[in-house]
Amino acid sequence: MQSKTATIEDVARLAGVSIATVSRALHHPAKVAEATRKKVLAAIDSTGFTANAMAQSLRLKSTRMILVIVPDIGNTFFASILRGLEAVAQQRGYGLLIGNSENDPAIEETYVSYLRSGKVDGLVLLSGRLPWPAGSIPANPPPMISVCEEIEMPGLPFIGIDNQAAARLATEHLIAAGHRRIAYVAGPARNILTRQRQDGYAAALAAAGIPLDPGLLLPGDFSIESGVRAVASMDGMEEPPTAFFCANDEMAIGVIMELTRRGLKVPDDVAVMGFDDIQFSSCTTPPLTTVRQPRREIGEEAMDVLLDLIETGTPPSLHRLLPVELVVRGSTGMAASAR
């Protein structure tokens, strides 16, 4: 086999594994069983295959740059994901270009020029949508992956969490503490995360035999200010909520701020639950109970899947959900009626 330049296909065939496994054995050996890695290394020795040959054979004219479209670079939620993306990209010899779209589809479309001009090899979408106008998606789109917010497109890989199950877990924690009047502070109305987390909230109420009160479904936009406005909606309620479940931590921080300003004690008077476990969740007074997303791990997994897709043409998994964790701190406690 050494009479011609060996390819990754030659190595995979000889080792009896997939092309993706060969790529991971070379670039991310910790994720490959030791016995499998030894078979791959033996096949590499036998064929005379080299990493430089792989780089040439897998992706001619490769820029080894990945474009990441972020809806709001100032949102602390994305920081850990970006660190995870960058760590794996650097480990595998790639760099990142970060495009801040400011949640504006028109800005996202400008980044398409990077793809057309061949300046990047792949695309990470944290925006929850494709960067092309409706009906103009290219017949052969570049390698890409959606992260956190799943995009409905056949064959598009996704890495994130089960938002419905996570929201149900958060709501069940409040119900177990005796709360029956639980307000849900939503994110943007058209956002898939808003719908998924509201579904989880509703499912937990239904399982506990608690009727869903539409008056407790409060609008928000993931900002601290919308959390403040959510508390103001309590004014005039005959039965105000005894707990708030917020679709992200920033809104929960706004809820705590406004409840405190009004002289209400958290959690003695009103309990507050967040979602995400951003950096500042443990710094509120009291510290915020929340659902922790494994954000760095999400970034690492997403970059591994995308680079495997770029280098082999086949991702190891199209749809991967990582586990969450309920982090109980001081902002939730027993309802007054249950004490």
Side-chain angles (χ1 to χ4, degrees), residues 16 43 85 126 137 171-172 199 226 235-236 238 259 282 300 315 329:
L85 290 167
L126 288 162
I137 301 172
T171 308
E172 287 173 344
D199 287 345
S226 64
D235 296 339
E238 290 186 13
L259 289 172
S282 61
E300 292 172 345
R329 299 193 181 105

Side-chain angles (χ1 to χ4, degrees), residues 131-150:
W132 293 278
S136 64
I137 301 172
N140 296 304
M144 56 187 176
I145 187 169
S146 62
V147 180
C148 293
E149 296 184 36
E150 188 169 7

Side-chain angles (χ1 to χ4, degrees), residues 77-78 125-130 145-164 190-197 293 298 317-322:
F77 171 80
F78 296 110
L125 297 168
L126 288 162
S127 54
R129 55 182 167 248
L130 298 171
I145 187 169
S146 62
V147 180
C148 293
E149 296 184 36
E150 188 169 7
I151 300 170
E152 293 184 0
M153 176 182 173
L156 179 62
F158 169 72
I159 303 292
I161 65 167
D162 186 334
N163 283 279
Q164 181 173 338
R190 296 183 180 180
N191 188 284
I192 188 173
L193 302 181
T194 297
R195 298 194 300 273
Q196 292 171 339
R197 293 173 190 175
Q293 291 201 55
I298 287 172
S317 174
L318 287 176
H319 192 277
R320 193 176 301 171
L321 301 178
L322 275 62

Side-chain angles (χ1 to χ4, degrees), residues 203-315:
L205 294 181
I210 302 172
L212 192 154
D213 182 348
L216 294 178
L217 298 176
L218 309 178
D221 58 16
F222 289 152
S223 70
I224 291 176
E225 293 76 17
S226 64
V228 172
R229 292 193 295 270
V231 176
S233 66
M234 291 171 49
D235 296 339
M237 282 190 183
E238 290 186 13
E239 285 188 83
T242 64
F244 283 83
F245 169 39
C246 304
N248 80 338
D249 286 343
E250 291 196 28
M251 293 191 298
I253 290 170
V255 167
I256 290 176
M257 288 170 52
E258 182 62 12
L259 289 172
T260 302
R261 189 191 70 80
R262 290 169 173 243
L264 294 170
K265 294 182 179 180
V266 177
D268 293 347
D269 297 321
V270 185
V272 181
M273 167 74 70
F275 199 107
D276 290 334
D277 196 30
I278 62 173
Q279 180 181 358
F280 304 110
S281 298
S282 61
C283 302
T284 58
T285 304
L288 182 63
T289 296
T290 186
V291 175
R292 175 179 294 155
Q293 291 201 55
R295 289 175 291 139
R296 184 183 177 100
E297 290 83 355
I298 287 172
E300 292 172 345
E301 290 277 348
M303 185 56 69
D304 257 336
V305 170
L306 178 63
L307 296 185
D308 284 347
L309 177 59
I310 290 170
E311 295 176 354
T312 70
T314 305

